[in-house]
Amino acid sequence: MLAAVLAVSVGASRAHERPATRTVWDSVFSIAQAARGESAYAKGCARCHGAALTGGDQSPPLAGSAFLGNWNGQSLIDLHQRIKTTMPSDSIGIYDAKFVTDVIAFMLKANGFPAGDADLPSDDATLKDIAIRTSRPTPPQ
Amino acid sequence: MLSLSPSRLIAVLAAGSVTFLSAQGAAQNPSKPFTTARGEWPSYTGDTRGSRYSPLDQISAANFSTLEVAWRFKTDSLGPRPEFKLESTPLMVGGTLYTTAGTGRAVVALDAATGALKWTHKEEEGPRGAAAPRQLSGRGLAYWTDGRDERILYVTPGYRLLALDAKTGNPVSSFGTNGAVDLKADIDQEILPDITTGEIGFQGAPVVGRDVVVIGAAFREGTAPKSKTNNKGYIRGFDVRTGKRLWTFHTIPRKGEPGYDTWQNGSAEYTGNTGVWSQVTIDEELGLVYLPVESPTGDYYGGHRPGNDLYGESLVCLDLKTGAKKWHYQLVHHPIWDFDIPAAPILADITVDGRAIKAVAQPTKQGLLYVFDRVTGKPVWPIEEKPVEKGEVPGEWYSPTQPMPTKPAAYAKNGTSLDDLIDFTPDLHAQAVQVASRYKLGPIFTPPVVSKAEGPLGTLARGPTNGGSNWPGGAFDPETHTFYVASSNAAPVVLGLVQPSKERSDMDWIAGSAAPAGRGGGLGGGGLSVQGLSIFKPPYGTITAINLDKGDITWQVPHGETPDAVRNNEALKGLSIPRTGQAGFTVGTLVTKTLVIAGDPQVTTLTTRPRGAMLRAYDKKTGSEVGSVLLPAPISASPLTYSVGGKQYVVVAVSGGPYSGEFIALRLPTAGPQ
């Protein structure tokens, strides 16, 4: 009946993909962008996820270890696509890529990641190249 | 409305297991052929009592860690896009597993032994479905049989009740109109603004007992509503054979009904919500139904509805056949904390001081277990009205007291104080104090405040909205009279109010922050955390066992791997931190002959194993962890267990982060080729 019983193991394999060369610790967004994102968040996201990103009855928190744990090791393109293709849940698709990128900049700031001089761009290649890491990577010796 | 054509109904009858049990069971007891005692899982919580208990014992402490994948079922294709929030606990009846799944909330029937798809049914609801306040796959289904017909009861996102033939997935034409009842109609009110976009829905599982199917009502998240006026969450019972409405219970009393005067200034006329978005429980033996009612309109501001606001945040007991109210107990007067009663009430037959009591136990967001005689509504242990702080929000009405159970003790943290802040190091404690200084702290029932940029930004609370225990609820072991529940201690919310623009809302106050955008606002630099750590001390999440004969906590353990943000934290280098558990409101407990089983709500990345989340088993007597298996994503619903072909299975839903929904069935290793 079952050709093979698989060991319980992780799902999506990303072995074929090139690992990201930067992380969210590398000052990948600007303060001005995070401020834009905060305004966008207040308009589009806070009604379910809370003004302080603490989540709601039906909506997960977007800051803190619960959020970071589930995204640790993923890239910003994963997060961007997740938001872009599933939010807001009652009118999916109304947020354009830049709106989502700005909100991500705000989320990064709210999660304690450092800001830099330049905005986080919305192009796939750049977002794919930035990994979410809960902890600052140790610099190479 | 569109059912898939027969050619698209996928019928896989390889295992040939669907019919034999129904014939066999019907011969024994036509009205009740399927029970957890027979290795089935015929209702969302196993039975209609909220138990989540199965006496199966093949999977035990000795072998739990050897569990292997029997089958997996990915739900991506059951809607227009993958879903990342799979919360269903399937049913298992007669060798077939039934569940809702996918962004379009399809119903699927799978072979319970192989996971092979037997049939799928999907409703296309167009704009009505798109406007639904409760989207996505929902939490499950109800099963009914009279020994001959077998039906699956299903609520669509657009709030229609369907009866499907359990064998084929086709609508039962004699039920309602062509198999469906429009739940937005015949509801003792006009759903506004219109039937297509009018806000009301339900994503919980229907429940059926004594041929009555009871349907809840739910709305959008309610911390910042557009209006003080909304549709009302009346609860109804329907004849499971015909779809005829049998009764409607007005969760907001109408003029002339008892309780109307608890809504001052006529506010019962326009206030809405006050539905049941979680799970209804039925006592089939006594013919009673138990409703865990949510908050009225305005989760954090009740100035437009002065008074105690019955039956907001009340446990209500009705006659199952007539809908007549037997008793009620309001757990929170004049709700302004979003303490919706979030989970199935649990029926528990217990013995207290030598006296047998048919009890009902209600787990809550506030981490308090309220226990009543379920016949009389009288508390099993005294519940005292305690004075609480009166707030200062202009226009708000405050209840001077709130009910507080004297027993059992709180099983989750439900207030905030400086003593609760992390003290891993003096520096981290100082930083946590700095973050907390922007908020008002206080015990349970500290009221919301007007948000001020200079502080306080709000009341920092634990329990409201997503703390304590939430929709997965608890479990009850009828053998040992022990109640089990998972809960969060580190899910703080900010109860801050702002005045909305007239375009935004006609409420005087809604949830919000006065912090100017881009100026930090208490969120820049880590929000309610410091250096990636929650400002609150662990444990972040626990599982608690409470003996309901005595009302005492028998054990409590941290549940969940220590999060990455703690284990890899530079600020904690050199410190030995015991397992912290995890915060999360998707953790449900399953109790078996010997085990309590629950999954981690967060993914962790350890050097010793691949990235993933653990499904854990605890010795139900002691709370010792006796086994675990790695799953690829957060466990996002309560597990179920059943037996098919002599083998016990545990099935869990996983989803979250970038991982889309999947059911994974586990069983013990098979010996050799099959």
Side-chain angles (χ1 to χ4, degrees), chain A residues 1-12 14 25 31-32 34-43 46-61 63-75 78-79 81-93 106-113 133-139, chain B residues 15 67-70 72 81-82 84-85 87 113-114 130-132 134-135 139 203 220-221 223-224 277 299 338 340 365 439 465-466 470-471 492-494 504 512-513 515-521 523-529 532 540 563-565 568-570 583 585 601-605 610-612 629-632 634 656-659 666-667 670 674:
Chain A
M1 182 159 44
L2 287 172
V5 177
L6 301 172
V8 185
S9 63
V10 294
R14 293 167 180 278
W25 293 93
I31 286 285
R36 282 200 311 275
E38 187 168 0
S39 299
Y41 179 89
K43 285 193 199 97
R47 72 187 162 102
C48 295
H49 292 279
L53 294 83
T54 50
D57 279 327
Q58 314 296 328
S59 322
S65 66
F67 168 75
L68 290 172
N70 289 343
W71 289 95
N72 190 21
Q74 311 304 296
S75 77
D78 298 319
L79 180 60
Q81 284 177 353
R82 168 73 198 276
I83 298 170
K84 181 87 167 55
T85 58
T86 64
M87 291 292 127
S89 64
D90 54 1
S91 38
I92 291 162
F106 169 59
M107 288 165 62
L108 293 175
K109 178 163 177 286
N111 276 286
F113 298 110
R133 298 271 180 219
T134 56
S135 306
R136 193 188 295 274
T138 314
Chain B
L67 285 174
E68 294 180 344
V69 171
R72 312 168 78 134
R81 58 190 70 81
F84 298 87
K85 192 167 176 278
E87 297 181 340
T114 67
R134 298 287 164 127
Q135 302 276 336
R139 305 208 168 113
Q203 91 281 42
R220 290 196 170 84
E221 297 263 17
T223 62
W277 57 253
D299 283 348
D338 194 14
D340 305 321
K365 296 179 179 181
Y439 302 92
T465 300
N466 56 14
N470 211 286
W471 57 266
V493 295
V494 177
R504 174 69 185 80
S513 174
R519 300 264 303 278
L523 292 173
L528 291 170
S529 54
Y540 304 136
D564 294 350
N568 305 329
N569 203 295
E570 277 180 39
F585 56 79
Q602 298 174 26
V603 162
T604 44
T605 308
R611 180 177 189 276
V629 287
L630 179 67
L631 297 176
Y659 199 92
L666 304 167
R667 70 175 181 198
T670 50
Q674 292 180 65

Side-chain angles (χ1 to χ4, degrees), chain B residues 1 125 128 155-156 158-162 175-187 191 194-196 200 215 236 238 243 245:
Chain B
M1 186 192 322
E125 297 188 301
R128 178 166 167 161
V155 178
T156 65
Y159 209 38
R160 294 179 310 125
L161 171 63
L162 270 80
F175 182 88
T177 305
N178 297 323
V181 170
D182 187 339
L183 294 169
K184 290 192 184 182
D186 205 16
I187 189 172
I191 296 299
D194 56 65
I195 208 106
T196 301
I200 190 165
I215 301 297
R236 285 166 293 172
F238 296 86
R245 178 179 70 153

